[in-house]
Amino acid sequence: TTFYKALRAREAIADIILPEVIKRRSLSNGSATKRQDLLHFMISVENPLTGKVYELEQLRQQIPTMLFGALDTTVSNEVELLIRASRNKEYINRIKTEVLKEFKLDSSSSTNDIIANMKMAEYDTLQNKKKFPFLNAFCDEVIRVTYSGPWSQRHAVKTFQVDTEDGRVFTINKGDYVVVGLTATTYTAGYEDVKSFDPTRFLEPRSEDKNINRYSKIIFGWGSRRCPGERFARLQILHLAALLSLREANIFLTKNPKIIHQGLAKHIDAVGTFTCEPMQG
């Protein structure tokens, strides 16, 4: 079956990765310079339950999940961020103001270096919504409009009855499969002017997200099969947005991306390419 083939492929990938994990771990214990990438982070991070690094077999199983499960959603959000940055320079300038203020530095190369050389474990700094309100609002809006995945499927293990706001009742029988259009949920959730890209919807006094049904925030799935890329994607685009705001460069598309609508969902056909050029010639 296709599923069996996928499992075999996963095992083959895990076997390819394992020697690199062993090599990296041995180098990190010596005098060699540690590489600051996702693989190194996963190898060196401690399990919060045990206080120890993960065993080799745990890494062998989890790294393929991050490589494939997290990579697609993260890249989708990064591309959407670049598109929005290219069209909304004023938003990037607001992010720059926040970043310079909180790091107490001017717009010099040293500030660029601080952001560019942040370790992944330090990305959490940027998630402080009190210090970086607009940065977080901008990234939340990027996530809201990003076509991270088409749908998610769940198998009902018991019979449910679902009451709707208009008084209707739906029965989901045990054994039924429920398919949910993930991106469509953010367009039917009660946000104001849902088709507009507007980060201020997440800021005071609007704070629209506080009044939105929690089941509308499932673009990364939900439950035990929630996409592992959710947290990673948000950390990456926070860092990318902060870094872009400090670069003295214009971001533009050499070609306009083709937006393909499928009902309420959409995705971007990758026919455009991004270019960054210095603002000062």
Side-chain angles (χ1 to χ4, degrees):
T1 64
T2 302
F3 183 67
Y4 177 71
K5 291 178 181 178
L7 290 179
R8 289 187 61 185
R10 179 189 175 93
E11 288 299 306
I13 293 169
D15 288 338
I16 293 172
I17 291 171
L18 187 58
E20 180 65 17
V21 171
I22 295 172
K23 177 183 176 183
R24 291 281 194 98
R25 183 161 280 180
S26 65
L27 288 175
S28 65
N29 291 330
S31 58
T33 302
K34 297 180 180 179
R35 295 175 60 179
Q36 298 299 330
D37 56 18
L38 178 58
L39 181 57
H40 171 76
F41 178 72
M42 293 188 70
I43 291 172
S44 58
V45 71
E46 293 181 351
N47 185 330
L49 298 178
T50 64
K52 299 179 180 179
V53 295
Y54 289 90
E55 300 291 336
L56 288 177
E57 182 58 27
Q58 291 175 308
L59 292 170
R60 179 180 175 277
Q61 293 296 326
Q62 292 302 319
I63 289 175
T65 299
M66 287 298 294
L67 285 176
F68 295 97
L71 181 61
D72 286 349
T73 49
T74 300
V75 170
S76 295
N77 280 271
E78 289 175 333
V79 170
E80 187 74 41
L81 184 145
L82 288 171
I83 291 174
R84 300 301 173 176
S86 70
R87 295 174 178 173
N88 300 279
K89 185 65 177 178
E90 69 277 13
Y91 292 159
I92 299 302
N93 287 335
R94 286 186 66 175
I95 293 171
K96 180 178 181 177
T97 300
E98 285 184 353
V99 172
L100 292 178
K101 176 184 177 182
E102 291 306 323
F103 282 94
K104 296 181 174 58
L105 293 168
D106 56 24
S107 54
S108 64
S109 59
S110 60
T111 311
N112 275 294
D113 292 341
I114 287 175
I115 301 298
N117 295 325
M118 285 182 77
K119 298 178 181 178
M120 191 171 294
E122 298 172 333
Y123 287 9
D124 269 341
T125 304
L126 301 173
Q127 292 198 102
N128 189 322
K129 293 187 177 184
K130 291 183 178 180
K131 293 183 177 180
F132 303 99
F134 192 80
L135 170 62
N136 280 270
F138 179 79
C139 291
D140 284 341
E141 183 71 342
V142 167
I143 291 172
R144 185 186 73 83
V145 302
T146 297
Y147 186 76
S148 297
W151 51 269
S152 185
Q153 176 178 286
R154 291 294 182 268
H155 187 205
V157 296
K158 64 179 182 179
T159 298
F160 295 88
Q161 279 198 335
V162 181
D163 300 325
T164 66
E165 293 180 354
D166 58 3
R168 291 180 294 170
V169 178
F170 290 94
T171 300
I172 301 173
N173 295 307
K174 180 179 179 179
D176 286 349
Y177 285 91
V178 180
V179 178
V180 179
L182 299 179
T183 307
T185 62
T186 65
Y187 283 82
T188 58
Y191 289 108
E192 296 178 9
D193 195 12
V194 295
K195 293 184 179 180
S196 296
F197 183 84
D198 184 5
T200 62
R201 71 173 75 252
F202 293 104
L203 299 175
E204 297 288 351
R206 292 171 66 180
S207 301
E208 294 178 14
D209 56 314
K210 293 181 179 179
N211 300 316
I212 299 300
N213 188 300
R214 67 189 181 94
Y215 294 110
S216 68
K217 302 176 182 180
I218 57 174
I219 53 176
F220 290 96
W222 65 94
S224 61
R225 293 182 179 271
R226 196 178 186 91
C227 175
E230 178 178 21
R231 177 169 166 76
F232 181 55
R234 193 169 193 281
L235 288 174
Q236 283 291 93
I237 62 173
L238 281 167
H239 184 247
L240 177 59
L243 188 59
L244 284 175
S245 74
L246 298 176
R247 299 298 193 197
E248 294 298 321
N250 289 315
I251 307 165
F252 62 92
L253 286 164
T254 55
K255 295 181 180 179
N256 289 323
K258 184 180 180 182
I259 309 297
I260 301 176
H261 288 269
Q262 296 178 334
L264 289 173
K266 69 183 178 72
H267 74 269
I268 300 170
D269 191 13
V271 297
T273 55
F274 293 98
T275 301
C276 292
E277 65 175 14
M279 294 177 66
Q280 307 300 325

